[in-house]
C-alpha cells in the first residue's frame, strides 16, 4: 500500500501552510514528519486521514482495502480513570470487532511492546502521565489498522518511555501498518524509514 503526495499544498485563507509537498509513503513502513511548530505537521496528517482536502496538488492512495480504518494517536487521548489498564487497552480491539479472548491477547502484546505489561491491573487514576500516554498508544496499536497516524506521541515523555513508544509503533509496522508520526523528536525520526521535513514556509500567497 502507498500514498503518493504530488505538490500537495494547503492554505488557510491567504496563509500557505504546506507548499508543494512531494512524497511517497510506502507501507508497511515507519514515516516521520518533522518540522518546527506551525510547519504543518498536524495539517499533513489530517490530509492523510481524509479530514481536510489539499488546496492544490494531488493525493492518491493505493493498495488499501475497502474497509480500511485510520487509527489516530493524539497526545491528549483520554483514558478511563476507574478502569484497569487492561480494560482501557482492550477497548481498542473490542471496538474493532475482535472477541474478548483475542482482544486480551493483542492488548497484552501491545502493552509489552510499550513497556507497560506490568501495569495491566492498575487503574487509570493511579498512573503517571507518561504511563497514561502509553496506555492510549497501546489501545490504538493493539489491533492496528492499515494506516496509523500519530501526532507527537512522545511529547513530554522521558527517554525510556520514548523508546517504548517507538517499539510499539514498530510492532504495528511489523504487523503490516503504514505508520506516520508527526514529531519534534530526533529520537523518533532517527528510527524512521523515511523522514519528511516540513519547512516553516508560512507566508501569504497574495
Ligand atoms: N483550521 C485552521 N484554520 C486556520 N489556520 C490553521 C488551522 N489549522 C492550522 N492552522 C495554522 O496552520 C499552521 C500549521 O498548523 P499545524 O497544526 O499543522 O502545525 P504543526 O506543525 O502541527 O505544529 P505543532 O508542532 O505546534 O503541533 C499554523 O500556523 C496554524 O495556526
Ligand atoms: Mg501539530
Amino acid at each position: 500500500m502507498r500514498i503518493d503526495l504530488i505538490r500537495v499544498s494547503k492554505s488557510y485563507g491567504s496563509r500557505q501552510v504546506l507548499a508543494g509537498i512531494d512524497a511517497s509513503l510506502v507501507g508497511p513502513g515507519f514515516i516521520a514528519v518533522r518540522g518546527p511548530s506551525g510547519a504543518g505537521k498536524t495539517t499533513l496528517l489530517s490530509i492523510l486521514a481524509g479530514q481536510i482536502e489539499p488546496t492544490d496538488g494531488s493525493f492518491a492512495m493505493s493498495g488499501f482495502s475497502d474497509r480500511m480504518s485510520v487509527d489516530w494517536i493524539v497526545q491528549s487521548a483520554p483514558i478511563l480513570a476507574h478502569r484497569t489498564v487492561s480494560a482501557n487497552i482492550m477497548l481498542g480491539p473490542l471496538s474493532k470487532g475482535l472477541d474478548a479472548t483475542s482482544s486480551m491477547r493483542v492488548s497484552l502484546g501491545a502493552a509489552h511492546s510499550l513497556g507497560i505489561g506490568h501495569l495491566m491491573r492498575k487503574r487509570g487514576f493511579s498512573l503517571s502521565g507518561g504511563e497514561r500516554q502509553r496506555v492510549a498508544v497501546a489501545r490504538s496499536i493493539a489491533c492496528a489498522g492499515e494506516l496509523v497516524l500519530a501526532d507527537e506521541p512522545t511529547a513530554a515523555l522521558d527517554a525510556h518511555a520514548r523508546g517504548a513508544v517507538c517499539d510499539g509503533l514498530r510492532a504495528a509496522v511489523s504487523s503490516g501498518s503504514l505508520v506516520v508520526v508527526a514529531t519534534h523528536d530526533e529520537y523518533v525520526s532517527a528510527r524512521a524509514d523515511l523522514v519528511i521535513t516540513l519547512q516553516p514556509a508560512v507566508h501569504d500567497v497574495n
Side-chain angles (χ1 to χ4, degrees), residues 36-43 45 151-152 182-184:
S37 183
K41 300 180 297 296
T42 299
T43 300
L45 257 49
D151 202 354
E152 317 247 5
T183 187
H184 291 283

Side-chain angles (χ1 to χ4, degrees), residues 188-205:
V188 177
S189 40
R191 277 153 190 78
D193 302 318
L194 171 73
V195 179
I196 298 172
T197 303
L198 301 180
Q199 306 299 337
V202 183
H203 46 76
D204 285 344
V205 289

Side-chain angles (χ1 to χ4, degrees), residues 3 5 8-10 12 17-18 21-23 25 31-34 39-52 54 59 72 149 151 180 182 196-198:
I3 302 177
L5 304 174
V8 164
S9 301
K10 175 70 188 174
Y12 291 109
V17 176
L18 297 175
I21 307 298
D22 285 304
L25 286 56
I31 320 283
V33 178
R34 49 179 291 194
K41 300 180 297 296
T42 299
T43 300
L44 185 58
L45 257 49
S46 306
I47 289 174
L48 297 175
Q51 290 176 345
I52 58 174
F59 156 64
W72 258 107
L149 303 174
D151 202 354
V180 186
I196 298 172
T197 303
L198 301 180

